[in-house]
Amino acid sequence: MNGLKGTYIIFRRELAAYFATPLAYVFIVIFLFSTGIFTFYVGNFFDRGQDDLKAFFMFHPWLYLFLIPAISMRLWAEERKQGTIELLMTLPVRLGSIVAGKFLAAWCFTAIALALTFPLWLTVNYLGHPDNGVILASYLGSILMAGGYLAIGACISATTRNQVIAFVVSVTICFIFVVAGAPIVLDFFSGWLPPFVANIIGSLSFLTHFNAITDGVVDLRDVIFYVSTIAVWLFANVIVVDLKKAA
Amino acid sequence: MIEIRNLVKRFGPLVAVNDVSFSVTRGEVLGFLGPNGAGKSTTMKMITGFLAPTAGRVSVCGADVAQAPLAAKRQIGYLPEGAPAYPDMTAAGFLDFVADIRGLKGVKRRERLDQVIASVHLEAVLDQPIDTLSKGFKRRVGLAQAILHDPPVLILDEPTDGLDPNQKHEVRELIRAMAADKAIIISTHILEEVEAVCSRAVIIAHGRLLAEGRPDETESGWRFGDLLAAPGRLDALFREITTNAHPERAA
């Protein structure tokens, strides 16, 4: 069996697993509620009087900080806890296919949740004449950023059999990536690291790259940033699983 | 069909498996005996490619487990300790998933699924989520998963654990029926099981292979080297061999 077929089989099982339990429905409802609250109450969607979805997208980095690790924490920790990791890894599938299949299923699930926010898009189109290109770009940026969070969460989940630990550590690491461009982090590093290193750290910020995309400019560099972030963390995921199979 | 050469597994200072070698050929059912913590499961995990050995080699049907893991895994059916399965899936959904990964297709797939489901009597619970099943049914789902692709090599870690006497009998019948054209390894600490299904047995304790035995041809009972156990008296012999063994620490 080739790698793609294996990835697809794992993907299908994992995606179905979300909907086999209340997890998917609880997550989607909470996701839609919280995006709604942030958009209308915190983001003052109506009072802004502008026909765009900035008030909706600007909170995604912070919303994802807690919601995405809630999806990713179970990816590997649960397999370890239940012992199914032993079953999975003795079936004739490449480890890379398993890692990719699990990640893609989680990403696809996130995309479904995000797609269900479409009434907001309808609303803003009903009320005004928004730049739908910008909105489309923002959705793209949002899903790319979610992929980054998920890849981090998946890798962390592989290090433990405890989902709570996976959640807390993932939130922390994601937080670092969100605020990497903020003064709180840059000041911490700039004191003792050469400026170019501090610049590199700053350029890893999820927030900076996301804001660039939601401004309506899909710069290839921002896309590459997220894609390579995902690739690096998934690669780390493969290594972690390989090294820590038995634990 | 299964060749194990000088297998060693260390976890830090603990030597879980210490220089174990044996082989199993087609038609054999090897009983893998030992007290809890002897290294039985660890050895099985290395044979099936889940754990990488610290030293030594395993080959299955000519495929080296370290060099060609996928080729080896295709030849193996494995029931891990505790028969893990995805609790949210139904028994039917789980077997479908395994059939997909095993690359079973079309008529052959239907045939194998029907045959395996019938042979472990899962018909009644096919549409139930696995976490609602009794221990006996869970074990049988695990067994079904292992034999689904009709593998030439079967590795079963305590296949009858948690089953009632009737179910134990059925599983043993099933293993005996499959034995002729497969190489099978069964780990157990139920010694009557060895007498019931195995054609050979090895005893392992503290990671070392201590004795190898087979049914005695002239007298009834089992012979391990110089020691002979009368029918039903394998326990005493097992105790004698394993209590004299001492753990070994890595230097």
Side-chain angles (χ1 to χ4, degrees), chain A residues 1 5 9-10 12-13 20-21 79 82-94 245-246, chain B residues 11 45 48-51 70 73-74 78 80 84-89 94 97-98 100-102 145:
Chain A
M1 180 169 48
K5 184 98 198 319
I9 295 168
I10 301 287
R12 216 174 41 186
R13 196 209 76 77
T21 61
E79 298 265 3
Q82 290 166 352
T84 42
I85 188 165
E86 188 170 348
L87 184 87
L88 198 56
M89 311 255 323
T90 52
L91 288 171
V93 209
R94 272 172 234 284
K245 276 189 278 199
Chain B
F11 296 107
K45 283 172 206 224
T48 53
F50 180 61
L51 288 182
L70 289 186
K73 285 170 184 176
R74 278 190 204 106
Y78 178 37
Y86 293 102
D88 298 326
M89 295 181 100
F94 179 63
F97 165 66
V98 176
D100 283 341
I101 288 207
R102 292 293 186 183
Q145 162 276 123

Side-chain angles (χ1 to χ4, degrees), chain A residues 116-163:
Chain A
L116 289 174
T117 60
F118 73 91
L120 266 174
W121 173 73
L122 292 180
T123 306
V124 77
N125 269 285
Y126 175 74
L127 294 173
H129 302 283
D131 184 340
N132 281 319
V134 173
I135 293 178
L136 192 66
S138 303
Y139 268 112
L140 177 75
S142 181
I143 195 66
L144 279 172
M145 183 173 60
Y149 281 96
L150 275 174
I152 293 174
C155 180
I156 302 303
S157 175
T159 62
T160 175
R161 51 186 291 148
N162 185 322
Q163 295 196 31

Side-chain angles (χ1 to χ4, degrees), chain B residues 1 6 14 18 42 85 100-101 106 117 123 125 132 144 153 160 166 232 237 241:
Chain B
M1 298 229 271
N6 309 103
L14 176 78
N18 193 350
T42 307
D100 283 341
I101 288 207
I117 287 164
E123 299 90 344
V125 299
T132 65
V153 169
T160 60
N166 295 334
L237 186 142
I241 292 174

Side-chain angles (χ1 to χ4, degrees), chain B residues 69-240:
Chain B
L70 289 186
K73 285 170 184 176
R74 278 190 204 106
Q75 309 297 327
I76 302 175
Y78 178 37
L79 174 69
E81 193 178 14
Y86 293 102
D88 298 326
M89 295 181 100
T90 62
F94 179 63
L95 292 179
D96 269 333
F97 165 66
V98 176
D100 283 341
I101 288 207
R102 292 293 186 183
L104 294 171
K105 286 192 194 81
V107 183
K108 165 109 168 129
R109 174 197 177 98
R110 199 60 264 158
E111 258 175 36
R112 282 306 300 167
L113 281 168
D114 289 345
Q115 213 174 332
V116 163
I117 287 164
S119 66
V120 296
H121 306 292
L122 283 178
E123 299 90 344
V125 299
L126 276 180
D127 295 320
Q128 283 183 37
I130 289 170
D131 65 348
T132 65
L133 299 181
S134 68
K135 203 173 172 191
F137 270 121
K138 274 183 196 163
R139 183 73 36 158
R140 283 188 271 169
V141 169
L143 201 58
Q145 162 276 123
I147 62 178
L148 188 57
H149 54 301
D150 198 16
V153 169
L154 263 182
I155 314 286
L156 308 174
D157 202 344
E158 303 192 350
T160 60
D161 189 38
L163 301 184
D164 67 34
N166 295 334
Q167 295 165 342
K168 276 186 184 151
H169 178 75
E170 279 176 13
V171 168
R172 286 172 196 164
E173 287 295 317
L174 182 67
I175 293 169
R176 260 203 297 265
M178 293 187 299
D181 57 348
K182 294 189 196 309
I184 304 179
I185 301 180
I186 297 179
S187 85
T188 182
H189 40 236
I190 308 168
L191 294 168
E192 52 168 274
E193 194 152 294
V194 176
E195 291 173 289
V197 298
C198 297
S199 59
R200 195 154 67 94
V202 292
I203 295 180
I204 174 172
H206 306 299
R208 280 193 162 281
L209 211 142
L210 297 178
E212 182 177 335
R214 54 181 72 243
D216 196 88
E217 283 137 15
T218 52
E219 300 158 72
S220 54
W222 278 67
R223 178 171 287 282
F224 284 80
D226 301 335
L227 302 166
L228 182 74
R233 302 302 303 273
L234 214 48
D235 311 39
L237 186 142
F238 176 80
R239 269 200 302 279
E240 192 178 330

